[in-house]
């Protein structure tokens, strides 16, 4: 049996305790598939942003043994435009090809080290202006919960660390394992929309009851040819009002959200069933196998057959 995938969590000064524990909680619920270890830049204790310090069992040399490195967020007051010598030295130990993940302000560490130049990334929406000013070479998207750019992943604030870690479990081992981990952690396997739904905005003129109930209604009818008029009618709103409110709550349009949900459902069926591609397409509302192939290719860059081959093997 091969050794577990080693995840090394780098605790920086001012680390947020909640986010520091996310990799241990999520990856640690995957029934031995991961080994999770914590280190600091010098092997010594670090102060958290709470009223206590913590002592890790390892120093920066552990980063050179990692398959995945996670950098949790740290106190905003400690963010620096340039990496400190100790942080830069620690990051230099990471082997080429190692998967690197940041949560919230952890993206500043990667950007300061030049690891995000020319790449898409995200961080907490309240820090977007500062991030853009300091690191113009990074393609920042503050409206999403996380960005997966292959060997580098960045996520937004707090609970988005759960989202990105679950995403990695899903990518590594398939939906069945990720769904099990989500149930153990009592969190959704994935969340609708992006970070845009949490950005502070003026209160809409007529808030009404929102679109959540309609989204749940639609999820039970993905196989049907749902239109904007159908969704608006269920929500008892005009199409224009529904579209505006939907975007305010979810961060995307109803049409794009529907496509995303259909793609996610198709991925689950490709992983967990032997149904033909054309049958899966009908069940998720794409009508034809050709349409499913086009949408899956646009979403994740692979064909249904290639996706099934990869993730049925992983599962």
């Amino acid at each position: 049996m091969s050794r577990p995938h080693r995840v090394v969590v780098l605790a920086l000064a001012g680390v947020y305790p909640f986010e520091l524990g996310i990799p241990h909680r999520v990856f640690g619920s995957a029934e031995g598939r991961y080994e999770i270890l914590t280190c600091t830049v010098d092997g010594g204790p670090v102060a958290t942003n709470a009223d206590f310090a913590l002592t890790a069992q390892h120093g920066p040399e552990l980063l050179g043994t990692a398959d995945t490195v996670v950098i949790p967020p740290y106190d905003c007051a400690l963010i620096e435009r340039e990496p400190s010598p100790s942080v830069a030295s620690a990051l230099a130990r990471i082997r080429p090809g190692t998967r690197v993940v940041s949560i919230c302000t952890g993206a500043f560490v990667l950007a300061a080290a030049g690891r995000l130049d020319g790449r898409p990334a995200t961080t907490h929406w309240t820090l977007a202006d500062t991030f853009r000013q300091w690191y113009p070479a990074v393609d920042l998207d503050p409206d999403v919960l996380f960005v997966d750019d292959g060997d580098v992943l960045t996520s937004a604030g707090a609970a988005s660390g759960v989202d990105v870690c679950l995403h990695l479990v899903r990518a590594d081992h398939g939906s069945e394992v990720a769904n099990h981990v989500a149930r153990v952690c009592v969190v959704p396997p994935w969340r609708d929309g992006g970070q845009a739904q949490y950005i502070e905005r003026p209160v809409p003129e007529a808030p009404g009851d929102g679109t959540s109930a309609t989204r749940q209604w639609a999820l039970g009818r993905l196989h049907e040819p749902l239109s904007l008029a159908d969704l608006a009618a269920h929500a008892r709103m005009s199409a224009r009002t529904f579209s505006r409110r939907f975007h305010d709550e979810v961060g995307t349009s109803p049409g794009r959200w529907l496509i995303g949900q259909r793609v996610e459902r198709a991925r689950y069926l490709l992983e967990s069933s032997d149904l033909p591609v054309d049958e899966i397409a009908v069940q998720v509302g794409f009508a034809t196998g050709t349409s499913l192939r086009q949408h899956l290719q646009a979403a994740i860059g692979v064909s249904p057959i290639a996706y099934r081959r990869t993730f049925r093997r992983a599962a």
Side-chain angles (χ1 to χ4, degrees), residues 150-236:
D151 60 339
V152 177
L153 296 91
T154 52
S155 61
S160 63
V162 176
D163 296 313
V164 73
C165 289
L166 277 174
H167 168 74
L168 289 176
V169 174
R170 191 177 196 279
D172 292 344
H173 301 289
S175 288
E176 293 292 337
V177 174
N179 289 345
H180 170 75
V181 169
R183 286 193 294 271
V184 170
C185 296
V186 198
V187 295
W190 63 79
R191 287 191 286 165
D192 297 340
Q195 195 176 178
Q197 62 190 304
Y198 303 103
I199 297 176
E200 292 179 355
R201 307 176 191 275
V203 177
E205 294 180 2
D209 295 327
T211 64
S212 177
T214 297
R215 278 179 271 140
Q216 293 301 315
W217 174 81
L219 288 174
R221 294 165 176 79
L222 291 178
H223 60 286
E224 299 178 9
L226 298 173
S227 66
L228 175 59
D230 295 328
L231 299 173
H234 180 271
R236 300 175 184 265

Side-chain angles (χ1 to χ4, degrees), residues 7-12 14-27 36-38 48-50 52 54 69-76 101-107 123-124 127 155-165 191:
V7 178
V8 175
V9 184
L10 176 61
L12 300 171
V15 66
Y16 286 83
F18 172 75
E19 288 89 331
L20 175 65
I22 287 174
H24 293 264
R25 190 70 181 92
V26 175
F27 294 120
I36 310 95
L37 302 169
T38 303
T48 70
N49 84 316
F52 58 88
L54 62 87
V69 171
V70 180
I71 304 177
Y74 56 102
D75 198 313
C76 296
V101 184
S102 70
I103 302 173
C104 193
T105 56
T123 190
H124 197 286
L127 301 170
S155 61
S160 63
V162 176
D163 296 313
V164 73
C165 289
R191 287 191 286 165

Side-chain angles (χ1 to χ4, degrees), residues 245-261:
R245 196 162 299 159
F246 193 99
H247 194 280
D248 286 344
E249 294 177 14
V250 181
T252 189
S253 70
R256 289 184 178 178
W257 177 83
L258 267 177
I259 289 173
Q261 298 305 312

Side-chain angles (χ1 to χ4, degrees), residues 42 82 152 209 234 237 288:
D42 59 5
E82 300 293 334
V152 177
D209 295 327
H234 180 271
M237 302 178 192
T288 67

